């Protein structure tokens, strides 16, 4: 926290730093971003939409190991660099279904990663990202509970990558180049599962709300703590609190503690209480979460439209360095006719049971008809 401006302003009474509002922090209030605000774009059709639902080409070369019931799959015995366009499409479909897919001992270079990920769309760029192709992701050794006293962005909490953008990213990929033996894990939680875990009354309530996603808190913290200039001015977006995934057609909770500060339709205290609930709801969702232990050469590909994630803070000394690429997604939307993952599973199970019941009846009718047919 050495770069925090508040560290320079010590209270003579307590001996602790005095929290500074951003308007009185010269590093923040005097900064002028170099780039204009973004406008909505309309990405090409998601590559997962072109995939074989059974993923036969992908599973012909990769062994699938699901890590939990709800989220997270490892693909073994395969190199991403060797996948065909058809297999990459099937991988995208798997990611939309499982939230995050992991690989170990990959031979990808940064150039290879960028080229591979361009298959999935136009590369996105984090507000603090200087290279147009990728951003470097490092470790988290700060005490985020302490930082929140001085700068209000919960940088260590669950989030979907830059969910405040008009077009938040669809897919993200992180490839680890340096990593400590212990520490620096990343956790993902399924937002399909988070929605399913709500009561029916809460689901109906949320289906009509808009979550307020903002980059203002991150913007201030980047300038103050990281000491680098964001490319773009802060943005506030009102996205559906429940979004419909364009590939799976499933409902997913579109709320995260990292960037959501309230709900457009609610009053301040109502929003605050609901945010408190979601902080509990997300952090208690062990049945819809997976935690990944990184190693050099490991890769994760995830879908920001159906997961939240966070790096687990630690005290490790060894360097942690990963290369992340992302691509633009569609503007979030909510289709009232869409269903949740749990609703779909129950519907398909009921249809399967009904088909089994109808089959013997049809066979009996056919047999009876045959007996009545003249010779």
């Amino acid at each position: 926290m050495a770069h925090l401006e508040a560290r320079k302003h010590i209270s003579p009474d307590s001996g602790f730093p005095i929290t500074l509002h951003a308007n009185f922090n010269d590093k923040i209030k005097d900064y002028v971003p170099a780039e204009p605000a973004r406008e909505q774009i309309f990405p090409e059709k998601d590559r997962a939409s072109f995939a074989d639902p059974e993923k036969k080409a992908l599973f012909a070369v990769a062994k699938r190991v699901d890590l939990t019931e709800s989220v997270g799959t490892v693909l073994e015995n395969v190199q991403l660099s060797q996948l065909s366009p058809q297999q990459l499409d099937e991988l995208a479909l798997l990611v939309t279904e499982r939230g995050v897919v992991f690989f170990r001992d990959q031979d990808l270079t940064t150039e290879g990663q960028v080229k591979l990920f361009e298959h999935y769309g136009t590369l996105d760029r984090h507000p603090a990202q200087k290279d147009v192709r990728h951003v470097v992701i490092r470790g988290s050794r700060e005490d985020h509970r302490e930082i929140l006293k001085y700068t209000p962005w919960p940088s260590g909490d669950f989030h979907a990558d830059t969910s405040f953008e008009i077009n938040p990213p669809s897919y993200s990929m992180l490839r680890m180049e340096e990593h400590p033996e212990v520490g620096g894990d990343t956790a993902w939680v399924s937002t399909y599962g988070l929605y399913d875990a709500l009561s029916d009354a809460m689901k109906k309530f949320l289906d009509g709300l808009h979550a307020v996603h903002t980059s203002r808190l991150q913007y201030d913290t980047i300038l103050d703590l990281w000491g680098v200039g964001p490319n773009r001015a802060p943005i506030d977006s009102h996205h559906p609190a429940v979004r419909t995934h364009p590939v799976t057609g499933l409902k997913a909770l579109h709320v995260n503690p990292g960037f959501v500060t309230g709900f457009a339709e609610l009053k301040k205290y109502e929003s605050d209480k609901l945010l408190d609930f979601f902080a509990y709801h997300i952090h208690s969702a062990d049945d819809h979460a997976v935690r990944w232990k990184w190693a050099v050469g490991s890769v994760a590909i995830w879908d920001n439209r159906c997961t939240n994630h966070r790096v687990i803070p630690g005290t490790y000394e060894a360097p942690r360095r990963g290369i992340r690429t992302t691509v633009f997604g569609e503007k979030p939307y909510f289709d009232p006719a869409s269903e949740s993952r749990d609703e779909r599973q129950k519907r398909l199970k009921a249809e399967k049971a009904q088909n089994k019941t109808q089959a013997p009846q049809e066979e009996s009718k056919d047999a009876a008809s045959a007996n009545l047919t003249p010779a």
Side-chain angles (χ1 to χ4, degrees), residues 105-125:
D105 302 318
Q106 296 297 296
D107 61 9
L108 277 176
T109 63
T110 297
E111 290 295 330
Q113 176 178 342
V114 169
K115 182 178 179 181
L116 183 153
F117 225 61
E118 286 178 331
H119 176 78
Y120 294 122
T122 302
L123 292 178
D124 193 2
R125 188 162 163 243

Side-chain angles (χ1 to χ4, degrees), residues 259-278:
F259 298 120
V260 173
T261 57
F263 298 88
E265 293 84 356
L266 302 184
K267 296 178 180 179
K268 170 65 174 170
Y269 285 109
E270 294 170 337
S271 282
D272 288 349
K273 294 302 181 185
L274 193 54
L275 288 175
D276 285 344
F277 163 72
F278 279 122

Side-chain angles (χ1 to χ4, degrees), residues 112 151 166-167 173 193 198 218 222 282:
T151 186
I166 299 174
N167 290 87
M173 176 179 182
L198 298 170
Q218 184 192 61
I222 286 174
I282 293 171

Side-chain angles (χ1 to χ4, degrees), residues 140-191:
S140 180
R141 293 192 290 264
E142 303 282 358
D143 183 347
H144 298 287
R145 303 165 185 85
E146 176 75 7
I147 291 176
L148 278 171
K149 290 169 60 176
Y150 308 112
T151 186
W153 177 43
S155 56
D157 215 332
F158 278 103
H159 62 282
D161 287 337
T162 59
S163 65
F164 46 77
E165 299 283 13
I166 299 174
N167 290 87
S170 52
Y171 304 106
S172 293
M173 176 179 182
L174 181 59
R175 176 180 57 87
M176 203 57 63
E177 292 188 333
E178 295 180 287
H179 206 273
E181 291 188 8
V182 179
D185 299 354
T186 303
W188 281 264
V189 61
S190 169
T191 53

Side-chain angles (χ1 to χ4, degrees), residues 258-327:
F259 298 120
V260 173
T261 57
F263 298 88
E265 293 84 356
L266 302 184
K267 296 178 180 179
K268 170 65 174 170
Y269 285 109
E270 294 170 337
S271 282
D272 288 349
K273 294 302 181 185
L274 193 54
L275 288 175
D276 285 344
F277 163 72
F278 279 122
Y280 157 78
H281 186 60
I282 293 171
H283 280 273
S284 66
D286 293 344
D287 51 339
H288 295 292
V290 64
R291 178 165 172 166
W292 178 247
K293 180 176 174 58
W294 291 97
V296 174
S298 293
V299 170
I301 301 177
W302 66 94
D303 190 333
N304 290 283
R305 300 166 295 189
C306 60
T307 59
N308 290 335
H309 65 278
R310 70 185 289 251
V311 62
I312 307 299
T315 58
Y316 47 87
E317 298 290 335
R320 182 183 189 272
R321 185 179 190 274
I323 303 298
R324 191 183 75 191
T325 46
T326 62
V327 292

